[in-house]
Amino acid sequence: MVTDDGPVSHGHTMTADLSAEQLRVAFQTIASWRLDPDATAPCPACDQPGLTIIDRSTRPYTEWYALACPVCGLDKTVSMPMAGPLRGE
């Protein structure tokens, strides 16, 4: 799921949702960021460095990440559903 977080500063706007390919790249970028939060992350929309990622997760069922790019104005929140508890556990 991708949500639009409203107007973006820096004179840029990014109102369209991420494409399926951009969303796949965003999830890969988030996975890399979780392993090394200090590394520079590229934007899934414009591929420029400087993506800001903020973990807004509400575990145990969904992970939410805010993505912001100062270059293209990307300002989205993406969710990654997690598997719930297995029956009988």
Side-chain angles (χ1 to χ4, degrees):
M1 168 183 270
V2 179
T3 62
D4 188 358
D5 290 338
V8 180
S9 59
H10 312 294
H12 302 284
T13 57
M14 185 73 168
T15 56
D17 284 340
L18 295 173
S19 70
E21 176 62 17
Q22 290 171 327
L23 192 56
R24 184 187 64 75
V25 170
F27 290 149
Q28 289 175 336
T29 301
I30 291 166
S32 295
W33 171 82
R34 290 181 70 197
L35 293 173
D36 186 2
D38 295 325
T40 301
C43 175
C46 71
D47 201 36
Q48 296 299 308
L51 182 70
T52 299
I53 302 172
I54 299 171
D55 186 348
R56 294 185 178 162
S57 298
T58 56
R59 292 174 184 92
Y61 299 110
T62 303
E63 292 183 354
W64 288 92
Y65 296 93
L67 307 176
C69 177
V71 177
C72 71
L74 176 72
D75 188 10
K76 298 286 181 191
T77 300
V78 297
S79 71
M80 293 191 293
M82 301 172 65
L86 299 174
R87 290 186 185 257
E89 290 188 16

